[in-house]
């Protein structure tokens, strides 16, 4: 370590210069996480400065999370959680923008359908009909597992009565579903396999449960089954978290053969599949057929999670999950202990909306609108970024996932910061990896909250930033 610090002996040294130099060495892994830093007197002697200069430098490192003092032992380097800091910076930036000046930005970060397509007058009539029909019960009466009518509608309309309504649990969106399931079935140090890259919210949940997270790269039509089996042979896996359609962020979808192979492995190696059925309503490519893992599951190995919030209205936080018999009681209790019940009024309104056929009409309309936007964004990417990025068309969903070519120097975090200054918001790929550095060449752009004019202009701006 001292050979790296010797460079500081040139010229007049200040404590901030020492702090910055050591910080850079930690970031570049030349000083390892947990490695002991030189004693204060030793480093002061090497750099020919007084002890207080080193004391101040070490204090500065501690305040920024780059070092930790162990009493009676010394000061140790601490590698910062880059993903957590990036998540915080990204979230703060978007909160400031969304609360004040979102109209000034081209927003490629949207992960939900746009409210402009939602027929609010129709839904208002549904709400009024529910209130006329149910009165105060619509506002007061709570059912811990969810409104019985909605559970029956989900069973009838989406599962053709193949799922018992009693097995359906209403939750406040997919994120809560993942959290509820994790609390019910995962213990500290249980091993979870996730796709690489994967949804950052799921990573956060599994980390909070102190699970051992094992990543497996996604390919064109899902994870490599042979690689998955090798992991299963060497590890005692509790569950595999997957997004079966238009995966966030990669955009890939699993074909039926791969689903069946993974279901077979689940039975052989005794693990469970947490299926996050993400935006499967929006299929633009006729070659993609819808069959969830759950619909192909004959051994009760799938924990199915579905959110209405992404495709319906984000403000209406409703989703549902279907647990295997083995975990049903634990998962139901976990949900009840989390928040007792999801909005009764909105559950009843959604039930009626589905029963009246409005849901089907709305989804059909979204498919027409967003297929047009999807095709247009794809053409703009090819036209303006073809020599700068690689990508695969997902065939559905609301976004594209792009890889910056190796010949282009900028990384996605720098691109995010520079694009924000130019009025364009993107999502850096580093957010979707356990090791953020693996996502530095990837970024995601969505088309659900932008006009065609802004899609073109935003992609032109990204092109100019990657040209510099």
């Amino acid at each position: 370590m001292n050979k790296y610090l010797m460079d500081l002996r040139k010229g007049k040294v200040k404590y901030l210069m020492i702090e910055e130099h050591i910080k850079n060495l930690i970031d570049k892994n030349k000083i390892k996480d947990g490695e002991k830093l030189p004693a204060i007197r030793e480093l002061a002697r090497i750099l020919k400065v007084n002890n207080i200069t080193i004391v101040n430098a070490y204090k500065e490192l501690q305040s920024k999370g780059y070092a930790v003092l162990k009493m009676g032992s010394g000061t140790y380097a601490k590698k910062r959680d880059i993903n957590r800091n990036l998540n915080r910076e990204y979230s703060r930036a978007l909160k400031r923008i969304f609360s004040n000046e979102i109209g000034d930005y081209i927003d490629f970060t949207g992960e939900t359908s746009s409210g402009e397509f939602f027929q609010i007058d129709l839904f208002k009539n549904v709400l009024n009909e529910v209130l006329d029909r149910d009165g105060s019960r619509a506002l007061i009466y709570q059912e811990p597992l969810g409104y019985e009518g909605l559970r029956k509608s989900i069973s009838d309309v989406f599962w053709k009565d193949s799922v018992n309504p009693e097995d359906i649990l209403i939750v406040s969106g997919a994120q809560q579903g993942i959290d509820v399931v994790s609390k019910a079935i995962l213990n500290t140090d249980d091993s979870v396999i996730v796709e690489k890259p994967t949804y950052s919210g799921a990573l956060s949940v599994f980390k909070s449960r102190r699970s051992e997270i094992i990543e497996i790269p996604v390919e064109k039509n899902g994870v490599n089954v042979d690689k998955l089996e090798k992991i299963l042979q060497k590890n005692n896996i509790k569950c595999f978290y997957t997004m079966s359609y238009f995966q966030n962020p990669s955009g890939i979808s699993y074909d039926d053969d791969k689903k069946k192979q993974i279901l077979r492995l689940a039975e052989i190696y005794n693990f469970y599949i947490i299926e996050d059925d993400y935006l499967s309503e929006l299929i633009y490519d006729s070659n993609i057929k819808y069959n969830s893992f759950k619909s192909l599951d004959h051994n009760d190995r799938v924990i199915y999670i579905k959110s209405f919030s992404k495709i319906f209205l984000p403000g209406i936080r409703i989703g549902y999950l279907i647990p295997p018999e083995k975990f049903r009681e634990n998962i139901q209790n976990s949900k009840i202990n989390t928040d007792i019940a999801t909005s009764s009024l909105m559950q009843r309104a959604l039930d009626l909306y589905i029963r009246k056929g409005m849901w089907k009409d709305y989804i059909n309309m979204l498919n027409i609108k967003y297929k047009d936007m999807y095709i247009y964004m794809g053409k703009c990417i090819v036209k303006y970024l073809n020599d700068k990025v690689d990508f695969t068309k997902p065939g559905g969903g609301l976004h594209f996932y792009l890889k910056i070519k190796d010949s282009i120097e900028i990384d996605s975090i720098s691109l995010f910061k520079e694009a924000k200054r130019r009025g364009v918001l993107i999502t850096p790929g580093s957010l979707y990896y356990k090791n953020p550095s693996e996502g530095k060449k990837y970024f995601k752009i969505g088309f659900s909250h932008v006009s065609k004019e802004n899609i073109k202009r935003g992609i032109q701006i990204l092109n100019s930033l990657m040209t510099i």
Side-chain angles (χ1 to χ4, degrees):
M1 181 197 305
N2 286 351
K3 67 178 180 179
Y4 297 120
L5 295 170
M6 297 280 275
D7 296 337
L8 283 167
R9 291 196 300 182
K10 302 171 184 176
K12 192 173 181 180
V13 179
K14 301 291 186 183
Y15 81 91
L16 288 176
M17 293 173 59
I18 298 172
E19 174 265 327
E20 183 67 23
H21 189 70
I22 295 175
K23 181 169 72 69
N24 289 336
L25 292 176
I26 295 171
D27 281 338
K28 293 175 181 177
N29 219 33
K30 290 181 177 178
I31 296 178
K32 307 294 183 185
D33 184 31
E35 185 176 347
K36 187 175 181 180
L37 298 178
I40 291 170
R41 289 182 181 178
E42 178 191 358
L43 189 55
R45 178 182 57 78
I46 292 172
L47 300 181
K48 298 180 180 179
V49 296
N50 58 45
N51 291 351
I52 196 64
T53 300
I54 305 302
V55 169
N56 288 336
Y58 282 4
K59 283 183 178 178
E60 192 71 17
L61 287 167
Q62 291 170 47
S63 70
K64 294 181 179 178
Y66 277 92
V68 58
L69 175 64
K70 297 182 180 180
M71 296 303 295
S73 178
T75 303
Y76 292 79
K78 182 181 178 184
K79 187 87 171 179
R80 293 196 309 171
D81 186 342
I82 300 172
N83 217 23
R84 184 179 63 185
N85 291 322
L86 175 60
N87 258 312
R88 187 182 297 120
E89 180 182 356
Y90 177 73
S91 297
R92 284 176 178 172
L94 294 193
K95 282 177 183 176
R96 285 197 301 270
I97 292 164
F98 289 153
S99 61
N100 298 312
E101 50 199 22
I102 186 59
D104 298 332
Y105 286 83
I106 297 171
D107 178 21
F108 287 147
T109 67
E111 295 187 344
T112 61
S113 60
S114 172
E116 70 173 286
F117 298 137
F118 189 70
Q119 297 170 305
I120 194 67
D121 288 339
L122 285 179
F123 193 67
K124 190 187 299 182
N125 292 337
V126 169
L127 282 171
N128 288 333
E129 186 172 341
V130 168
L131 289 169
D132 289 340
R133 182 192 71 191
D134 299 343
S136 61
R137 286 182 303 157
L139 302 171
I140 299 170
Y141 185 66
Q142 303 287 343
E143 298 177 58
L145 303 185
Y147 175 54
E148 183 179 4
L150 178 58
R151 288 187 282 125
K152 286 181 178 178
S153 288
I154 291 169
S155 174
D156 294 345
V157 177
F158 301 123
W159 293 94
K160 308 302 180 188
D161 294 323
S162 63
V163 174
N164 188 329
E166 295 299 314
D167 292 335
I168 295 171
L169 177 64
I170 304 300
V171 293
S172 300
Q175 181 69 31
Q176 188 190 58
I178 298 167
D179 185 60
V180 164
V181 168
S182 298
K183 288 176 179 176
I185 72 172
L186 291 177
N187 298 311
T188 300
D189 296 329
D190 277 346
S191 296
V192 178
I193 297 177
V194 300
E195 296 154 335
K196 184 169 73 169
T198 193
Y199 170 49
S200 57
L203 278 178
S204 297
V205 169
F206 298 141
K207 286 179 181 177
S208 73
R209 298 301 299 166
R210 297 183 181 177
S211 300
E212 180 191 7
I213 300 172
I214 301 173
E215 295 177 304
I216 181 169
V218 292
E219 299 179 348
K220 187 175 181 181
N221 60 348
V223 299
N224 184 296
V225 175
D226 291 334
K227 290 180 180 177
L228 175 61
E229 184 160 20
K230 288 179 181 177
I231 293 173
L232 295 168
Q233 289 169 346
K234 295 178 181 179
N235 300 272
N236 183 20
I237 301 299
K238 190 68 168 284
C239 60
F240 166 49
Y241 170 76
T242 179
M243 304 181 88
S244 45
Y245 283 86
F246 316 122
Q247 194 250 14
N248 186 9
S250 71
I252 66 97
S253 297
Y254 284 74
D255 60 33
D256 284 358
D257 285 343
K258 188 153 286 190
K259 292 188 191 114
K260 290 173 183 176
Q261 291 178 61
I262 294 172
L263 285 164
R264 181 181 62 83
L265 291 178
E267 184 67 12
I268 293 171
Y269 292 97
N270 191 29
F271 68 91
Y272 289 82
I273 298 166
I274 301 175
E275 179 180 17
D276 186 349
D277 188 357
Y278 176 73
L279 294 179
S280 59
E281 296 88 350
L282 300 178
I283 298 176
Y284 317 131
D285 185 338
S286 59
N287 292 318
I288 300 176
K289 306 301 180 185
Y290 178 72
N291 283 303
S292 63
F293 274 95
K294 183 66 179 177
S295 67
L296 301 171
D297 178 22
H298 301 300
N299 296 305
D300 213 19
R301 287 284 166 182
V302 175
I303 303 166
Y304 179 88
I305 300 173
K306 180 68 184 177
S307 174
F308 290 111
S309 304
K310 298 290 185 185
I311 197 72
F312 200 45
L313 279 182
I316 301 176
R317 304 296 301 169
I318 298 179
Y320 70 96
L321 65 84
I322 306 172
E325 175 64 28
K326 179 178 179 179
F327 297 120
R328 185 172 68 174
E329 186 174 351
N330 282 353
I331 289 175
Q332 289 175 350
N333 289 338
S334 177
K335 169 61 170 70
I336 292 168
N337 291 335
T338 298
D339 68 354
I340 303 178
T342 303
S343 168
S344 177
L345 175 60
M346 288 305 171
Q347 288 184 63
R348 291 164 187 258
L350 180 57
D351 166 46
L352 191 57
Y353 190 85
I354 293 170
R355 293 248 174 230
K356 285 177 171 286
M358 295 178 183
W359 172 266
K360 184 178 180 181
D361 292 341
Y362 178 61
I363 296 302
N364 289 340
M365 181 269 293
L366 285 186
N367 269 276
I368 294 169
K369 298 281 188 183
Y370 281 131
K371 182 177 181 179
D372 182 48
M373 302 296 282
Y374 164 80
I375 291 171
Y376 185 76
M377 177 172 268
K379 287 179 178 178
C380 286
I381 293 170
V382 170
K383 183 174 182 179
Y384 299 108
L385 298 177
N386 196 47
D387 60 336
K388 298 177 178 66
V389 303
D390 294 311
F391 75 106
T392 300
K393 292 181 179 180
L398 294 173
H399 71 266
F400 288 83
Y401 195 53
L402 312 179
K403 182 181 186 294
I404 303 169
K405 292 188 175 181
D406 292 338
S407 58
I408 307 299
E409 291 187 6
I410 197 168
D411 62 37
S412 65
I413 297 175
S414 299
L415 183 63
F416 162 69
K417 293 176 180 178
E418 292 300 320
K420 182 161 66 74
R421 292 191 186 99
R422 294 281 299 275
V424 178
L425 302 177
I426 65 169
T427 306
S430 296
L431 295 171
Y432 302 102
Y433 293 80
K434 183 180 167 184
N435 177 5
S437 63
E438 294 188 64
K440 67 181 181 181
K441 279 292 187 177
Y442 294 87
F443 65 97
K444 187 176 78 170
I445 55 174
F447 50 85
S448 62
H449 290 235
V450 281
S451 64
K452 284 187 175 180
E453 178 186 357
N454 279 342
I455 286 175
K456 178 180 177 180
R457 188 157 63 92
I459 289 177
Q460 286 176 328
I461 290 172
L462 295 177
N463 172 51
S464 68
L465 292 172
M466 285 189 272
T467 303
I468 296 174

